[in-house]
Amino acid sequence: MTAAVLEALSGFVPPHPVHNTNLPAAWGVDDQWVQSLTGVITRYHAGPGQATSDLAFEAARRVLDASGGQAPNAVLLATSTPDRPCPATAPLLAARLGMVGVPAFDLAAVCTGFIYALAVGQGLITAGTASRVLVVAADIWSTLVHPDDRSAGVVLGDGAGAVLLRAGQKNEPGALLGFDLGSDGTGEDLITIRGAGARERAMAAPLSERERYFTMAGFRVFQRAVTAMTQSTKRTLTRADWLPDQLNHLVPHQANSRILAAVAERLGIPTQRVITTLARTGNTGVASIPLALADAAADNRLSPGERVVLTAFGGGLTWGSAALYWPNLPATASPYPAQPLKPTRP
C-alpha cells in the first residue's frame, strides 16, 4: 500500500536571539519569572525586512540539500503569517526554489498547521497526484505581537521547519501511520487576530489598533489545549496499536512548559520522553514541531525504529496528531545560528 514516507528534515531560526534579560523594560519581567511561567529563555526574531517566505526558503533549501534526491512535485506551506493576505505565499516560495509550474499552496490551521499539512501531503501521495511533497512550516509572530502585550511577547518567536515526503510503503520506517484531526469553530475568538480580514472590512466601524494584533485567552486556551492534545494523542496511539508506555518520544506543539507537562502527566509519559525546544526557541507557532524534530535529530536524540507521536493544538480551534516509526534520515543540521550571537533588545 502506498504511503507518505519522511525522507529529510530541517529547521531554521533567524540569527537574532532575544534573551529574557533583553525583553523590553516596560514589561516589568525578569528571567526567573519568564522561565517559571513559560519555560522560555530565548526566542529568535526575524530581522528588518524579513518575511515568512524568507524563513521558509531557508528551511526548504536546507531540506532539499539534505535529501539530494529528485525535486518535489508539490509544495505546501503551513503558516499563520503569510507575506500577504493575497496571494498565497507558497507559489513565491516554490519559484524561489526553482520549481515554477508545480502546485503550491498555503495551509492555515494556526499551530496545528504542520500536522494538517502532513496529512494533506500524504493525501497527495496516496492519490497519485504527487510522488514527492515538500512541506514547510513557517511563522513570524514578532510582527503580530502588540508592543505592550507581554503575555504573548515573552513566549512567541519566529522560525521555520521543513520535511520532504516521498511515496513509499506503509511498512517501512518513516511512513506516516495515521492521523487524528479535529476542529471546533465555536472557539474562534480564543486565539485570533481580528483585523486585516474580510470581516473587518465589512464592518461599519473599524477595529481598535490592539485588535489588529495577536490575542489569546490564556487560561481557557490552556484548558482546551491540554484536553485536546491528550485525547488526540490517545486516539493516535490506538490507531497505531501502541500503548503509551511503548512510545519513545512525544513531540508536542511548543506552547509553553505548563501545557507540555500537563499533557505528559495525563498520558502517563515521563517528561524525559517529551521533546521540547521551548527554552531555546520559545513558541514558534506552526514551526514548533518541525523545529523540535530538527533540534532532536541534530543532537542524535532520535534513533531509527523508535515510536514517535506528534501532537498540536491551535487557533480555529484546531488539533491533530500523527504517528510514525522514526526513519534513518540524512544528517540534520542544527537549526540555530552557527555562531552564538549576543542577545539584543528588540
Side-chain angles (χ1 to χ4, degrees):
M1 179 182 295
T2 302
V5 178
L6 179 63
E7 184 176 51
L9 164 72
S10 74
F12 174 79
V13 293
H16 303 288
V18 181
H19 190 274
N20 288 340
T21 56
N22 295 107
L23 292 170
W27 288 357
V29 301
D30 59 30
D31 181 39
Q32 183 177 0
W33 183 86
V34 176
Q35 286 195 52
S36 64
L37 185 69
T38 68
V40 180
I41 299 174
T42 303
R43 73 287 294 146
Y44 291 79
H45 286 175
Q50 284 189 314
T52 295
S53 61
D54 299 312
L55 273 59
F57 174 79
E58 290 298 329
R61 179 183 59 80
R62 291 183 178 197
V63 81
L64 294 175
D65 288 346
S67 70
Q70 300 175 358
N73 41 28
V75 177
L76 308 184
L77 174 62
T79 185
S80 298
T81 63
D83 287 7
R84 302 175 181 179
C86 174
T89 305
L92 171 62
L93 172 62
R96 290 183 62 181
L97 294 168
M99 291 187 283
V100 172
V102 305
F105 56 94
D106 291 1
L107 190 151
V110 196
C111 298
T112 317
F114 177 68
I115 293 178
Y116 269 55
L118 289 179
V120 173
Q122 176 179 257
L124 291 173
I125 287 173
T126 56
T129 305
S131 59
R132 298 168 69 81
V133 178
L134 173 63
V135 176
V136 185
D139 271 331
I140 294 185
W141 284 110
S142 60
T143 62
L144 295 172
V145 174
H146 192 277
D148 297 333
D149 187 359
R150 75 174 189 180
S151 63
V154 297
V155 69
L156 292 176
D158 305 336
V163 298
L164 188 63
L165 303 177
R166 63 167 175 82
Q169 300 301 311
K170 194 76 172 180
N171 60 355
E172 64 177 296
L176 298 174
L177 301 178
F179 292 88
D180 174 74
L181 303 174
S183 73
D184 179 4
T186 64
E188 66 166 348
D189 282 333
L190 296 183
I191 303 171
T192 188
I193 301 168
R194 292 184 176 85
R199 174 76 61 189
E200 181 190 15
R201 296 174 187 273
M203 294 172 64
L207 294 175
S208 68
E209 187 227 2
R210 189 66 175 260
E211 289 177 299
R212 293 187 173 91
Y213 289 89
F214 174 87
T215 61
M216 182 173 67
F219 180 69
R220 293 171 66 190
V221 168
F222 175 92
Q223 294 176 307
R224 297 290 295 267
V226 171
T227 299
M229 287 199 288
T230 300
Q231 292 178 350
S232 182
T233 298
K234 287 180 177 179
R235 288 190 292 266
T236 299
L237 288 169
T238 298
R239 290 173 184 174
D241 199 23
W242 296 347
L243 297 174
D245 60 4
Q246 294 177 310
L247 186 63
N248 298 107
H249 300 288
L250 177 69
V251 189
H253 162 55
Q254 309 291 296
N256 66 52
S257 58
R258 295 183 179 185
I259 288 177
L260 271 56
V263 171
E265 180 180 4
R266 291 194 182 189
L267 290 170
I269 295 173
T271 55
Q272 59 266 31
R273 295 187 192 175
V274 180
I275 290 180
T276 176
T277 57
L278 260 173
R280 195 162 184 181
T281 65
N283 178 346
T284 56
V286 72
S288 73
I289 289 178
L291 272 174
L293 289 172
D295 177 81
D299 288 344
N300 297 313
R301 285 181 283 138
L302 291 164
S303 300
E306 290 185 321
R307 294 179 174 90
V308 177
V309 167
L310 320 176
T311 189
F313 175 87
L317 299 168
T318 60
W319 57 85
S321 301
L324 73 158
Y325 287 100
W326 194 251
N328 186 14
L329 296 180
T332 302
S334 170
Y336 308 108
Q339 297 295 328
L341 300 179
K342 181 180 179 180
T344 56
R345 186 179 296 277

